[in-house]
Amino acid sequence: MPYSDSASPSLGKAFIALVRRDLLLAWKRPGDVLNPLFFFAMVATLFPLAVGPSVEQLALSGPGVLWVAALLAALLSLNSLFLTDYEDGSLDQLLLSPQPVVLLTLAKTTTHWLISGLPLVLVSPLIAVTFQMPGHAVGILMITLLLGTISLSLLGSIGAALTVGLNRGNALLSLLILPLAMPVLIFGARTVSLAAANDTVAAGIYFLGAYSAMAMVFAPFAAAAALKISNE
Amino acid sequence: MWKFFHKLASPPHFYDLANKIIPWFIVPAILLITYGTIAGLFFAPMDYQQKDAFRIIYIHVPAAYISMMAYMTMAISAGIGLIWRMKLAHAVAAACAPIGAWFTFLALITGSIWGRPMWGTWWEWGDPRLTSELILLFLYFGYLALRAAIDDTSKADRSSAVLALVGAINIPIIHFSVEWWSSLHQGPTIVREGGPAMPMEMLLPLLAMILGFTFFFGAVLLRRLRTEVLYRERRTGWVKRMIQPAGGEA
């Protein structure tokens, strides 16, 4: 046992305990998981209703519509990332714990992705089919969303940490995160468009992978710094 | 050397110092911008392709340059403020944001006016530089909105500093992703291999304008900074004494 002078659990154990706790909380409140999914489906429905049912047009705009809807759905659930813990005081306890705050933000972000990003990836083929998306493009859509939602959760954790405890934090959160999320949207949507046109997709997927890797390295630290500042 | 820095960081000293050095910015700014405007609008040769419409670059290019320079200044001073807990650096960041946002707006407006005769539209989504400039404006909006939402100055300083740094890391990524997204604009003409493609009579006024705008930015920044320092120090003795000298009426 390398670390045994106190009762505090190791980093890995603390991480798993926190993720398990948040997953359990989400399980008890399934609305938090389902609402963004319904929102995703509804935003995607708005476009055909607004633009018209023309099949060619929908096939062209499908990748963009799906990506915008996914981005908005991810934003919708971000507000609650730290908010419930902030309101009931458990965030203070977590910040006081001997584990580094980076671990806390990383665990919170992981859970957020598991309950909001991953379901979006799994549901997206259903909606993609209604936009006449060809089969291989649906696969690419799922890959881009998989990589993209990781980045969105990580970027969003910075925004959520900055705005926790502020009045009107939700609108502000979107304002802070949307410009930062635009590269993800650009590469995500364009890559799916290229796939639908039978073009090469490697560049976009590499970019999304690189972006999520970079976000994974930097974002938890930025979110931890922001969380400490907004929680004093 | 260290004494100089300590004095610089002291608000009353800085308040006086800024007042003394503002003329050193405003005079070169006026001279350079006057020369650049006259030489650029009247004496620079006409572009063989764009005719007189190209002359808007004498405003557009410097404004676009300042818009990015201001964000970098803001992010660097925010970082200094965050790391070394220097209040003055935070004040610099706070003072940069509105100026930078206005220059971004100016660059967008002039770009759009230039686009009307060149592309036949007020707004061309296919142009990567105009689009990244728009995203830059959104980044400024986010920064200003975050500052406005936090009442406590010290908290607003540090929270917005985190945002400014995250934004600064993202700016090159945004720039290159927008570039990848589309390419319709004419390529860069000032900095390119084998020397600039512009004749000297065109280039000199442009460089003068860029330098003049930079001095102007410095002057406006110092003025804003004085107000910012005064506001932040409004409860301290030196501000009260300055506003209401001893023996004056209550």
Side-chain angles (χ1 to χ4, degrees):
Chain A
M1 288 282 277
Y3 190 81
S4 57
D5 58 350
S6 79
S8 72
S10 69
L11 290 185
K13 266 187 189 155
F15 182 85
I16 289 167
L18 206 51
V19 170
R20 183 179 287 166
R21 163 187 178 267
D22 284 344
L23 284 179
L24 193 65
L25 281 174
W27 183 254
K28 303 275 180 192
R29 280 181 309 213
D32 287 2
V33 182
L34 291 174
N35 287 349
L37 288 180
F38 291 141
F39 183 78
F40 175 58
M42 279 179 215
V43 172
T45 314
L46 289 179
F47 278 85
L49 291 179
V51 173
S54 144
V55 171
E56 301 84 51
Q57 205 169 8
L58 287 183
L60 266 180
S61 58
V65 171
L66 277 157
W67 253 95
V68 170
L71 179 59
L72 294 177
L75 270 181
L76 186 73
S77 58
L78 269 174
N79 194 39
S80 59
L81 185 54
F82 299 112
L83 194 63
T84 45
D85 284 347
Y86 173 80
E87 279 170 346
D88 67 13
S90 40
L91 190 60
D92 290 326
Q93 298 299 317
L94 289 169
L95 286 172
L96 284 174
S97 69
Q99 277 76 28
V101 183
V102 178
L103 187 84
L104 158 71
T105 54
L106 193 59
K108 283 267 168 201
T109 315
T110 309
T111 321
H112 176 262
W113 181 75
L114 285 175
I115 61 181
S116 80
L118 194 59
L120 277 183
V121 177
L122 297 176
V123 169
S124 60
L126 286 179
I127 297 163
V129 169
T130 68
F131 280 86
Q132 323 293 331
M133 201 179 279
H136 66 280
V138 174
I140 298 295
L141 173 75
M142 289 180 77
I143 294 172
T144 58
L145 276 177
L146 186 76
L147 293 168
T149 47
I150 293 176
S151 307
L152 291 180
S153 288
L154 286 160
L155 276 177
S157 73
I158 306 174
L162 285 170
T163 53
V164 68
L166 293 179
N167 294 330
R168 294 163 277 121
N170 205 0
L172 186 60
L173 175 62
S174 313
L175 204 59
L176 301 185
I177 293 308
L178 278 176
L180 297 175
M182 280 176 194
V184 179
L185 175 80
I186 288 174
F187 276 91
R190 292 292 276 196
T191 304
V192 181
S193 294
L194 289 174
N198 284 317
D199 215 326
T200 52
V201 294
I205 290 176
Y206 289 157
F207 173 87
L208 288 170
Y211 194 94
S212 56
M214 199 184 88
M216 224 178 277
V217 175
F218 288 114
F221 287 94
L227 201 58
K228 276 188 234 165
I229 293 164
S230 42
N231 237 277
E232 15 184 78
Chain B
M1 189 67 186
W2 279 112
K3 205 180 159 207
F4 171 76
F5 277 114
H6 279 294
K7 276 184 94 174
L8 187 68
S10 130
H13 181 258
F14 175 80
Y15 186 77
D16 285 335
L17 184 73
N19 204 26
K20 279 181 202 130
I21 54 177
I22 282 176
W24 293 93
F25 282 87
I26 203 79
V27 173
I30 291 170
L31 291 177
L32 284 164
I33 291 175
T34 312
Y35 159 73
T37 311
I38 294 172
L41 292 190
F42 298 107
F43 296 112
M46 205 189 273
D47 188 88
Y48 79 98
Q49 211 174 11
Q50 308 183 6
K51 305 284 181 249
D52 275 331
F54 94 93
R55 293 185 198 276
I56 202 163
I57 64 160
Y58 292 112
I59 305 289
H60 176 67
V61 172
Y65 162 71
I66 297 290
S67 70
M68 282 173 232
M69 204 266 289
Y71 199 95
M72 284 304 143
T73 313
M74 182 175 100
I76 290 169
S77 27
I80 292 174
L82 203 61
I83 294 166
W84 287 292
R85 295 170 185 266
M86 205 172 143
K87 280 186 195 163
L88 189 64
H90 280 308
V92 172
C96 273
I99 313 174
W102 275 114
F103 273 106
T104 314
F105 184 68
L106 183 64
L108 280 173
I109 292 291
T110 49
S112 159
I113 294 171
W114 179 81
R116 182 67 195 156
M118 288 303 120
W119 300 320
T121 53
W122 291 108
W123 185 265
E124 173 58 59
W125 277 111
D127 176 56
R129 276 181 274 167
L130 219 47
T131 309
S132 30
E133 199 70 17
L134 183 67
I135 301 179
L136 182 66
L137 186 65
F138 292 155
L139 285 175
Y140 275 118
F141 283 163
Y143 179 89
L144 290 167
L146 181 64
R147 284 203 78 93
I150 307 176
D151 295 325
D152 179 50
T153 312
S154 149
K155 211 181 209 183
D157 279 344
R158 283 169 297 146
S159 278
S160 60
V162 173
L163 184 69
L165 288 173
V166 173
I169 295 176
N170 263 276
I171 282 180
I173 300 173
I174 291 171
H175 181 77
F176 286 112
S177 54
V178 172
E179 201 128 279
W180 178 82
W181 172 63
S182 167
S183 45
L184 198 139
H185 205 43
Q186 58 166 309
T189 35
I190 299 186
V191 186
R192 55 182 240 174
E193 283 172 55
M198 272 185 177
M200 254 332 189
E201 308 88 88
M202 265 190 195
L203 184 64
L204 268 184
L206 181 59
L207 293 179
M209 285 301 258
I210 291 178
L211 204 60
F213 268 52
T214 311
F215 275 113
F216 178 70
F217 170 74
V220 179
L221 178 64
L222 284 169
R223 272 209 73 93
R224 275 204 94 96
L225 207 47
R226 289 187 83 211
T227 325
E228 186 78 33
V229 166
L230 212 54
Y231 178 74
R232 282 160 184 251
E233 301 278 310
R234 62 191 181 279
R235 291 189 222 293
T236 58
W238 70 272
V239 173
K240 283 183 183 152
R241 276 194 298 280
M242 189 179 66
I243 291 168
Q244 201 178 75
E249 278 187 35

